[in-house]
Amino acid sequence: MDVSIIGTGYVGLVSGVSLAAKGHHVTCYDINEKVVDSLNSGIPHIYESGLQELLISVLNEGMFTVKLISDRTSLENDLIIIAVGTPSENGKIDLSYVKQVSESIGKYIKENNKSFVSVIVKSTVTPGTTHTIVRRIIEKTSGKKLGQFGLGMNPEFLREGNAIEDFMNPDRIILGHDDTETLKLLQELYSPWNCEKIAVNTKTAEMIKYANNSLLATQISAVNELANIAAAIGGIDIVDVMNGVHTDKRWSPILPDKSRIYPEILTYLLPGCGFGGSCFPKDVQALQSKAYEVGVEPHILDSVLKVNDNQPYQVIKLLKKSLIDLEDKKILLLGLAFKPGTDDVRESVSLKIIDYLCKDKARVIAHDPIAIKNAKKKLDNISGVSFTKHWDVKLPEVDAVVIATKWSEYKQLFSKDNLQKIKGKIVLDARRMFYPDHFPDSIYLSIGRS
Ligand code: NAD
Ligand code: UGA
């Protein structure tokens, strides 16, 4: 198929190169000229494992290209996918990019002499957006009615850091559609994929995406609340508690040979310093605000966000208990990305921890294997932070080490050399990467353990 994708970020680019690798002709569009130029020369503007190799391969095969979008862009395709950002604006979804793109598509449909075009929303949008807002804008600008063009909603479930793998091997594909022609086109688009495909209306497709992210975020806040309670009671380590909980066969089913399946959901049931990233915080907020709009008080979503807002401060509380005053204390902060495997720092908990530390006049030395450049842009006007490429060299000069992102290279903290350097110092494991007995000669602190 010939496919246009508008918005060439994490979702648009990964979807584009993956669809091209499966045999479709894909043109991605973006408003950012630098992004367009960089991608056409084979250099991704985001970090994702395996992305560059796939990009170069589909460019060389002539299956993929990126173009700058303008008012006069001619989207010569039968299927147009919207993959622009849907950020949060004061807790509500900001649909301005989606609206802008819908208008351009409407104009294209008006001028296009082909008989039928389907517009597929892949961006995460609140239930009803595709069928009301997107449809109305396209109808108004094109002068055509739904049916003369098609409308679909195909939510994306990829995780950053694992994006290509997730797109190529999805658990399921949701084929949201408001007309049968669009369903046929979506089925054709995804015919190279063998996973379960679920056909629903566009509102249901939108709600599936929010329900999925909200439930994952709920697990994280639930376990973080349990961790805080356990720590306050004292004499309990929440990791031991969760080991006991996870062995309930409803969490980890027992097979006939007595071995167990440990589903990935269990990783969301481990304590930490909170969730971040470009999606969980904004998506839970968007559904929360939608709930109020439709007259439902979302007690659980309210609490999920409240617990998460407070969780980074648990790190400061723990540090203050041991160091008393943070002024002029040197803190080595390990990890700036919102999770390992990505250079994305959007809503990263690490940045919130840095902000608190700097307000308390601590001196922060921050490290990340790939996210320093992005973090510097966000921390531009905060004084008291410096950055290092070699965290192990800094160990002798700091008062405390805080592990804020679970990058595997930080396992090296447990090497003989490094253990020597952190003797008597504080190791605050905010992601529960280690066990207390890994650091017999340091002061090991962590979330969920008094
Ligand atoms: P992103 O910010 O990485 O990319 C969006 C791209 O759209 C940018 O490159 C921007 O320049 C471009 N853009 C903005 N306005 C445009 C316009 N008018 N015309 C053309 N291009 C335009 O965003 P993302 O992380 O890819 O997220 C996109 C959507 O997918 C969001 O709704 C998000 O919630 C959802 N989503 C994201 C992920 C993820 O892991 N990042 C996963 C699933 C779903
Ligand atoms: C998440 C979902 O997992 C994807 O399915 C979805 O497509 C995506 O949001 C989206 O809608 O954009 P992602 O944000 O890339 O993907 O990352 P996750 O691995 O789910 O982690 C999200 C946040 O939760 C991170 O800050 C991570 O550190 C935190 N987290 C995760 C925890 O605090 N504890 C955990 O046990 C797991």
Side-chain angles (χ1 to χ4, degrees), residues 157-158 160 209 213 267-268 274-276 279 338-339 431:
F157 299 96
L158 62 80
E160 288 184 26
K209 175 67 193 170
N213 273 2
T267 67
Y268 289 82
F275 58 78
C279 293
F338 83 95
K339 61 182 255 186
R431 292 287 178 194

Side-chain angles (χ1 to χ4, degrees), residues 306-323:
K306 200 169 171 191
V307 171
N308 198 55
D309 278 350
N310 290 330
Q311 204 59 12
Y313 197 73
Q314 297 299 323
V315 171
I316 309 300
K317 265 168 75 177
L318 281 167
L319 283 176
K320 279 187 173 170
K321 259 193 189 166
S322 296
L323 290 169

Side-chain angles (χ1 to χ4, degrees), residues 397-432:
E397 64 183 83
V398 299
D399 299 290
V401 182
V402 175
I403 304 148
T405 311
K406 216 173 191 169
W407 283 104
S408 61
E409 72 168 82
Y410 299 147
K411 284 190 192 137
Q412 283 310 308
L413 197 59
F414 178 51
S415 73
K416 215 171 151 191
D417 256 15
N418 289 335
L419 283 175
Q420 198 60 29
K421 292 182 202 164
I422 53 172
K423 245 184 175 173
K425 297 183 180 191
I426 292 169
V427 175
L428 200 164
D429 182 2
R431 292 287 178 194
R432 298 307 301 254

Side-chain angles (χ1 to χ4, degrees), residues 61-77:
E61 283 164 12
M63 301 298 282
F64 179 80
T65 186
V66 191
K67 291 183 181 168
L68 194 63
I69 197 149
S70 78
D71 273 357
R72 279 176 292 155
T73 300
S74 172
L75 308 161
E76 285 150 16
N77 294 118

Side-chain angles (χ1 to χ4, degrees), residues 173-177 183 187 196-201 204-205 208:
I173 297 174
I174 306 293
L175 309 177
H177 61 284
L183 178 59
Q187 280 164 338
E196 200 164 323
K197 290 164 193 164
I198 301 172
V200 289
N201 64 29
T204 308
I208 289 173

Side-chain angles (χ1 to χ4, degrees), residues 242-256 258-263 265-266 269:
M242 293 320 285
N243 282 341
V245 172
H246 289 177
T247 44
D248 183 316
K249 68 174 181 299
R250 285 166 292 187
W251 289 115
S252 54
I254 305 172
L255 297 170
K258 302 273 182 248
S259 64
R260 278 182 188 269
I261 300 170
Y262 289 100
I265 186 67
L266 297 183
L269 284 168

